[in-house]
Amino acid sequence: MFEGNREMQKLLIGNGHRHVLIAGIDVSKNKFTIAAVNGEYEDKIKAKDVKLTKTGLNELYKEIDTIVKNEKIKQIIFGCEPSGIYYKPIMRDLIRRYPTAIFKLINPLATKSNRDQKMERGKTDPIDTYAITDLLIRGECYEFDDGEDSFDIIKEYVKELDHIVKDVVRIKNKLHAYTDEIYPGLESENTSFLESEYGRIFLRILPDPKQLPTLSKMDWKVMLRTKEYELPDYIADRLAGRCKELIVSSHKQYKTLKGYIIYLVDCYEQLESRKNRIEENLENLIIELPFGENLLEIKGLGILTIARLIAYMGNPYKFMSGKEVASFAGLVPKANQSGKQDKERKLSKKGNRKLRAELVMAAQRMISSVGYFTAYYNRLVIENRKDPMVAIVATANKLIRVIMHMIHTGEKFNPPTAKNKEAATGKINRLTKKKLIEFNKNKKLDSLTQDIKDLYHVRV
């Protein structure tokens, strides 16, 4: 936030501290609380509630206009927390009424931290408004962008997608359980019925299990034939062969269960259709973002990963750097110190759990697919002797710093420290945990031979 503080001080000095009006707003559903001070923290509007109506807003505007005239205000700054959707109508009306004003947003965590620093433990709207004005003056804020609706919509789509994925897994587990009960051993270990064309057709027919041992290869082809699909011979052979060994037992509730399984299949297909629509919409939204296409050029960083990162961090522009995002996600070590002894430092994990998990999973893919991150990981393991899991977490920290740099600068992925650009963006050998154990067993890693460095790049 240092840069923001410098800009705010420049603004206050340029206009004169007494001639800048800073208004902090704490938003709720049908009203908001506002307090305003000048650059010297002198009260101009004491914290008060304003109803979100034309009458309430017009009365507030009259008061602000009077202050602007009497105090010779040259610049107005409005700021609030992005609380749900309630802050948007207020900010938009303020923009309409004061188009030359500056509009900022405050991270809710910063407001809480500010309140705690002043020993204000109880959360009340007036206290929060003054905390917000203080953060505005200190420059700990970011620009209000009415176009950030895109980030909010991405977040909502990801929420829906996460719910759908849970439901899909739940229904798949039910279907596996019921089909294993009726047709034990028929479903392949490698491919489930739901993941194959013939399996979907089979689940809609659900023949009496007693008939299956009598079905020939041709019977299977006829039973699963549709206008659009013809069962391949090798699959028909495999199904007929399995059925000869099938353990068949009578099921008293077979007809009742059959109806329920077909219902579950319908539910599964509806969820898959909704999931596909969400993924298509997310792709369109990500591509339209100023940094979307640049991020997608990085191998292993797909639509869903970018969408989830945005959903879990919110508007990325509210963070000044990747270091702030890493801290927000809990990807930084915490100190564990006793007296002069600095004990082992562990991951803080104080932050957004979902964002942290997504970054770690993304880092694992990056280590396997992008040379720049592979070399970074290899160097940590080989030269710095880091545990592989610690190295993966450190790579996740590196990844978000690269992503945030690209977001803020609009640059493509082009690591400035990489000497070999082709190797940095391509694929190189990753030192696996299995190979690491083998090296340590043979004490090869202790010698740090050039052969190991050449085989597993530690510099690109």
Side-chain angles (χ1 to χ4, degrees):
M1 294 294 180
F2 177 76
E3 190 67 30
N5 180 272
R6 190 163 58 186
E7 288 178 9
M8 186 59 68
Q9 289 305 311
K10 187 178 178 181
L11 186 149
L12 290 169
I13 293 169
N15 290 284
H17 287 67
R18 288 178 174 274
H19 302 298
V20 178
L21 186 69
I22 303 102
I25 300 169
D26 190 81
V27 182
S28 55
K29 187 172 182 179
N30 297 315
K31 68 175 180 68
F32 61 93
T33 305
I34 185 169
V37 300
N38 64 19
E40 295 185 349
Y41 287 91
E42 294 174 344
D43 268 333
K44 296 303 168 185
I45 300 177
K46 289 192 175 181
K48 66 174 187 176
D49 290 341
V50 177
K51 289 184 178 180
L52 192 55
T53 61
K54 284 184 178 180
T55 302
L57 288 171
N58 286 335
E59 288 177 0
L60 173 65
Y61 297 156
K62 284 180 183 177
E63 187 174 359
I64 292 174
D65 292 343
T66 300
I67 295 169
V68 169
K69 183 179 179 181
N70 295 340
E71 302 288 332
K72 297 180 181 178
I73 298 297
K74 296 178 182 178
Q75 184 65 66
I76 306 175
I77 302 170
F78 293 102
C80 71
E81 296 174 347
S83 307
I85 60 172
Y86 303 126
Y87 74 101
K88 292 179 181 178
I90 297 167
M91 294 294 268
R92 285 168 182 159
D93 201 69
L94 286 168
I95 290 170
R96 177 193 63 78
R97 185 63 180 76
Y98 301 101
T100 60
I102 294 172
F103 296 88
K104 299 284 188 178
L105 294 178
I106 303 290
N107 191 321
L109 291 176
T111 307
K112 181 180 181 300
S113 176
N114 184 286
R115 191 171 64 239
D116 290 345
Q117 286 173 16
K118 295 183 179 181
M119 306 300 287
E120 300 283 4
R121 300 302 180 191
K123 185 188 184 311
T124 64
D125 294 344
I127 292 171
D128 278 352
T129 56
Y130 285 113
I132 290 168
T133 58
D134 183 41
L135 290 165
L136 289 169
I137 293 172
R138 286 158 53 179
E140 297 185 25
C141 50
Y142 60 99
E143 295 292 331
F144 169 74
D145 179 8
D146 205 19
E148 78 168 13
D149 280 346
S150 295
F151 300 125
D152 291 338
I153 297 302
I154 288 170
K155 181 179 180 179
E156 294 305 317
Y157 271 133
V158 169
K159 278 184 182 177
E160 288 293 322
L161 190 61
D162 287 346
H163 288 313
I164 288 172
V165 168
K166 284 182 181 179
D167 283 340
V168 165
V169 171
R170 177 178 58 83
I171 289 174
K172 281 177 77 171
N173 289 339
K174 278 190 174 186
L175 282 166
H176 290 323
Y178 286 129
T179 50
D180 284 345
E181 180 184 347
I182 300 173
Y183 313 105
L186 182 60
E187 193 172 29
S188 169
E189 291 181 5
N190 300 321
T191 307
S192 72
F193 286 138
L194 288 169
E195 293 162 358
S196 62
E197 185 74 21
Y198 75 86
R200 300 271 187 101
I201 300 168
F202 177 81
L203 288 173
R204 291 196 171 280
I205 297 170
L206 288 175
D208 191 320
K210 292 180 181 179
Q211 296 177 357
L212 294 189
T214 66
L215 296 179
S216 65
K217 168 184 170 181
M218 188 53 64
D219 291 332
W220 275 102
K221 289 179 72 72
V222 171
M223 183 174 67
L224 301 183
R225 181 182 293 144
T226 66
K227 289 181 180 179
E228 297 82 19
Y229 180 76
E230 179 75 28
L231 185 68
D233 286 342
Y234 76 94
I235 294 179
D237 270 332
R238 191 171 66 200
L239 290 171
R242 279 193 190 144
C243 287
K244 301 297 182 189
E245 301 294 324
L246 199 65
I247 300 172
V248 177
S249 58
S250 59
H251 200 296
K252 293 181 180 179
Q253 299 297 323
Y254 164 68
K255 288 185 179 179
T256 303
L257 195 54
K258 177 177 179 179
Y260 183 56
I261 290 174
I262 292 173
Y263 162 76
L264 287 177
V265 173
D266 287 337
C267 291
Y268 177 84
E269 291 183 343
Q270 287 172 18
L271 289 169
E272 282 287 291
S273 176
R274 286 172 56 195
K275 180 172 171 284
N276 292 336
R277 282 182 60 193
I278 289 175
E279 289 176 359
E280 287 174 9
N281 291 342
L282 282 173
E283 183 174 3
N284 293 332
L285 285 168
I286 297 298
I287 289 172
E288 287 174 3
L289 294 174
F291 52 81
E293 290 187 356
N294 287 347
L295 291 182
L296 286 170
E297 288 180 4
I298 305 176
K299 294 175 185 176
L301 202 61
I303 291 291
L304 292 183
T305 300
I306 297 171
R308 285 199 164 95
L309 292 178
I310 290 171
Y312 301 147
M313 79 167 85
N315 183 344
Y317 293 113
K318 71 184 178 185
F319 297 100
M320 301 298 288
S321 65
K323 186 178 178 181
E324 287 186 9
V325 182
S327 178
F328 175 71
L331 277 174
V332 291
K334 65 178 179 180
N336 184 15
Q337 197 170 22
S338 177
K340 293 183 179 180
Q341 184 181 8
D342 191 5
K343 298 180 181 179
E344 184 182 359
R345 302 180 79 191
K346 297 182 180 179
L347 201 64
S348 72
K349 294 188 179 179
K350 286 186 178 180
N352 190 299
R353 178 178 54 83
K354 288 185 176 180
L355 178 59
R356 183 169 63 250
E358 191 64 34
L359 281 170
V360 170
M361 287 190 290
Q364 289 175 316
R365 291 193 296 273
M366 295 292 106
I367 291 167
S368 298
S369 57
V370 183
Y372 179 71
F373 295 106
T374 312
Y376 182 77
Y377 168 85
N378 286 346
R379 183 165 73 252
L380 291 175
V381 174
I382 294 172
E383 291 189 349
N384 296 11
R385 307 301 176 88
K386 298 290 185 184
D387 179 83
M389 194 60 230
V390 173
I392 290 171
V393 172
T395 307
N397 191 309
K398 180 77 168 177
L399 173 62
I400 193 57
R401 283 184 277 137
V402 169
I403 288 173
M404 289 302 294
H405 177 78
M406 292 174 66
I407 288 174
H408 281 298
T409 63
E411 294 177 4
K412 292 181 179 293
F413 178 62
N414 184 27
T417 57
K419 296 177 182 178
N420 187 334
K421 302 295 182 183
E422 188 176 345
T425 56
K427 189 173 181 178
I428 61 176
N429 289 326
R430 170 188 178 176
L431 179 60
T432 63
K433 194 167 185 178
K434 183 179 178 181
K435 202 69 181 174
L436 178 64
I437 292 170
E438 184 183 322
F439 278 142
N440 285 328
K441 199 179 212 180
N442 299 326
K443 296 185 178 180
K444 288 182 179 178
L445 200 60
D446 290 337
S447 63
L448 281 175
T449 63
Q450 191 60 42
D451 289 342
I452 294 174
K453 288 186 177 182
D454 290 341
L455 181 61
Y456 301 102
H457 295 70
V458 293
R459 295 283 191 279
V460 294

